[in-house]
């Protein structure tokens, strides 16, 4: 079956690193994504990783992919109060399907 | 940056009224989607479209309807709004090439009183 799971909440202090985790079940997705949702807004694409990569770094963001364990993580270095939001991981549709699979979302709270 | 626009952003209407939520994208994407999301909760796909004149229902049953007469336009209509329709509605689009990324609009917050 298809399922993407995330922990619901994460609280960190400003300046610390945040690590948001995601586990998924469909190993045939080509791309995996991280989206950020601020209050009252839509989902904003933060970064993505191709399924044959282990790691991708983009400024303060580091994505790690462990295909064997079907585990995806997003590390935010030097977390700021502006990073407080809900973060969703997502899988791209597999061939012949339409459906993006989104996680349940992790609410990140950054304490000043 | 995604070029996908939703109007209205916020709307309060009375029970029984008809409402259309507009969604337009300027990226030439074939696929478009409507998701329903309660505040801070999971996304639920309610409609999608592969292209012009193509519409399908999503995973979550919805009393809304959609149309796709032009590539760039994917409006959602509620014929008779009820308080249970109060939610945020997110429009999105994607294309089957490159990173196959799905892009979202800013959302339409609907409150039915």
């Amino acid at each position: 079956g298809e399922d993407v799971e995330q922990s619901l909440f994460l609280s960190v202090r400003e300046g610390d690193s945040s690590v948001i985790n995601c586990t998924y079940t469909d190993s045939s997705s080509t791309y995996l994504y991280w989206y950020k949702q601020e209050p009252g807004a839509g989902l904003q694409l933060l970064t993505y990783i191709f399924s044959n990569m282990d790691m991708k770094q983009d400024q303060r963001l580091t994505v790690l992919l462990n295909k064997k364990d079907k585990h995806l993580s997003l590390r935010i270095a030097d977390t700021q109060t502006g990073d407080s939001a809900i973060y969703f991981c997502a899988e791209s549709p597999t061939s012949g399907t339409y459906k993006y699979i989104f996680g349940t979302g992790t609410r990140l709270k950054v304490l000043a | 940056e995604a070029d996908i626009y939703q109007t209205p952003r916020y709307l309060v209407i009375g029970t029984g009224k008809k409402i259309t939520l507009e969604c337009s994208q300027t990226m030439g994407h074939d696929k478009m989607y409507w998701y329903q999301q309660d505040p801070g909760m999971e996304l639920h796909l309610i409609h999608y479209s592969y292209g012009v004149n193509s519409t399908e229902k999503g995973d979550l049953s919805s009393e809304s309807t959609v149309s796709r007469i032009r590539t760039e336009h994917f409006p959602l209509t509620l014929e008779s709004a009820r308080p249970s329709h109060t939610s945020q509605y997110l429009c999105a689009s994607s294309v089957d090439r490159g990173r196959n990324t799905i892009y979202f609009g800013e959302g339409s917050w609907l409150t039915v009183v």
Side-chain angles (χ1 to χ4, degrees):
Chain A
E2 55 193 36
D3 202 9
V4 178
E5 294 187 357
Q6 300 179 238
S7 53
L8 289 180
F9 299 101
L10 177 64
S11 179
V12 300
R13 295 212 170 272
E14 192 174 20
D16 289 348
S17 292
S18 309
V19 179
I20 302 170
N21 294 302
C22 172
T23 57
Y24 59 97
T25 55
D26 190 345
S27 58
S28 58
S29 293
T30 306
Y31 290 95
L32 295 124
Y33 315 90
W34 283 103
Y35 287 84
K36 176 184 181 182
Q37 186 179 34
E38 299 188 28
L43 275 68
Q44 172 195 358
L45 177 69
L46 278 181
T47 188
Y48 67 95
I49 188 166
F50 190 49
S51 58
N52 69 354
M53 295 170 67
D54 298 324
M55 185 183 87
K56 179 181 179 183
Q57 187 151 2
D58 185 359
Q59 299 182 335
R60 291 191 298 124
L61 306 178
T62 303
V63 180
L64 295 177
L65 176 60
N66 181 329
K67 287 195 75 173
K68 175 176 169 290
D69 295 337
K70 296 180 183 173
H71 185 261
L72 181 73
S73 68
L74 174 69
R75 178 178 180 269
I76 306 173
D78 187 24
T79 313
Q80 303 297 308
T81 54
D83 295 324
S84 292
I86 301 175
Y87 291 81
F88 291 90
C89 62
E91 296 183 74
S92 61
T94 53
S95 177
T97 72
Y98 61 90
K99 197 171 174 180
Y100 290 80
I101 309 299
F102 287 88
T104 49
T106 299
R107 188 182 296 270
L108 173 65
K109 184 172 182 178
V110 182
L111 306 172
Chain B
E1 189 168 323
D3 293 320
I4 182 164
Y5 307 100
Q6 292 186 239
T7 57
R9 290 291 321 280
Y10 305 94
L11 182 66
V12 180
I13 61 169
T15 298
K17 298 291 186 185
K18 178 179 179 179
I19 176 66
T20 296
L21 304 180
E22 302 287 349
C23 176
S24 294
Q25 50 96 6
T26 58
M27 299 172 283
H29 287 172
D30 292 327
K31 293 182 180 174
M32 296 189 74
Y33 313 79
W34 277 102
Y35 291 85
Q36 185 174 342
Q37 184 191 29
D38 290 331
M41 303 296 285
E42 298 174 61
L43 280 76
H44 296 285
L45 181 67
I46 52 174
H47 298 283
Y48 65 99
S49 168
Y50 282 120
V52 171
N53 295 325
S54 147
T55 61
E56 301 287 344
K57 290 192 178 294
D59 302 324
L60 182 67
S61 175
S62 173
E63 293 162 348
S64 58
T65 59
V66 292
S67 62
R68 190 90 183 273
I69 298 171
R70 303 199 314 265
T71 298
E72 62 270 21
H73 196 215
F74 192 41
L76 180 145
T77 298
L78 276 166
E79 290 292 336
S80 179
R82 294 208 298 269
S84 61
H85 296 138
T86 294
S87 191
Q88 179 176 215
Y89 293 84
L90 292 167
C91 182
S93 70
S94 71
V95 64
D96 278 339
R97 58 178 178 270
R99 298 190 300 268
N100 202 11
T101 305
I102 184 169
Y103 295 98
F104 286 84
E106 284 294 298
S108 292
W109 281 98
L110 176 65
T111 301
V112 184
V113 298

